[in-house]
Amino acid sequence: MKALITVASKHGATLGIAETIAGRLRAYGIGASLYPPATVTTLQGYDAVLLGSALYANRLMPAMGAFVARWSHQLATLPTYVFVSGPLDSAGTDLIPVPKDVRDIARVIAARRVRLFPGRMDFETLKPTERAVMRMIGAKAGDYRDFSAIEDWADTLATELLEE
């Protein structure tokens, strides 16, 4: 079993989530390859695909939208999963609605599961304009990622994939 994990991550927080998922899948014996969306040249040879994107202004990163547009027909024929990160709060993301563009791509590719994870805010990694916007909206610096929840989700996916 081989899984492609492609992730659009601007400052590395979502990439960290993807790396954790990849590690968990590998622990189950699933070969997990991790690539940025723009570098993927084929889906051939993969048994499943996981799409990950950071959220900015409650929207997917453009690289993920372009990836889905390019590969949507093939993604719809594979077990496909979507995860996004961005809420800057440690409160339960189960109460936060999944953004519309995420729901839209999940529908187009017939995603089996969609998961929203809290993100990370490090003002030092931001450009001055990004920093100003984050301060203006009251964003607080911190790492809100819940790696236990991320591992649990990856375990669920691995179990599901291996039962097929």
Side-chain angles (χ1 to χ4, degrees):
M1 164 84 49
K2 288 179 64 178
L4 167 66
I5 304 171
T6 184
V7 61
S9 181
K10 189 170 184 179
H11 298 290
T14 309
L15 177 59
I17 292 170
E19 290 168 340
T20 300
I21 293 169
R24 295 302 291 182
L25 294 180
R26 290 178 189 130
Y28 283 85
I30 297 171
S33 301
L34 180 57
Y35 296 105
T39 66
V40 175
T41 59
T42 186
L43 299 184
Q44 207 166 25
Y46 291 105
D47 303 298
V49 178
L50 286 78
L51 309 177
S53 180
L55 293 173
Y56 287 91
N58 215 31
R59 298 189 54 83
L60 289 171
M61 291 188 65
M64 188 51 66
F67 181 87
V68 170
R70 179 176 181 194
W71 299 103
S72 62
H73 294 293
Q74 288 171 294
L75 290 168
T77 67
L78 291 165
T80 303
Y81 304 85
V82 177
F83 65 94
V84 293
S85 73
L88 298 175
D89 191 340
S90 57
T93 53
D94 295 340
L95 304 176
I96 300 170
V98 174
K100 182 184 181 319
D101 63 339
V102 177
R103 290 191 317 267
D104 290 347
I105 68 151
R107 186 180 61 256
V108 166
I109 63 174
R112 289 186 172 185
R113 293 179 186 269
V114 177
R115 182 65 191 259
L116 178 64
F117 293 111
R120 179 186 74 197
M121 170 60 64
D122 179 359
F123 283 106
E124 299 304 313
T125 65
L126 301 178
K127 295 177 184 176
T129 54
E130 293 172 322
R131 198 174 306 128
V133 169
M134 290 295 112
R135 286 195 173 117
M136 189 170 52
I137 65 170
K140 301 228 185 309
D143 191 343
Y144 302 98
R145 297 173 295 174
D146 179 347
F147 286 98
S148 178
I150 294 163
E151 290 173 349
D152 289 348
W153 191 70
D155 292 346
T156 298
L157 301 186
T159 301
E160 188 174 297
L161 289 169
L162 292 172
E163 287 177 352
E164 290 188 6

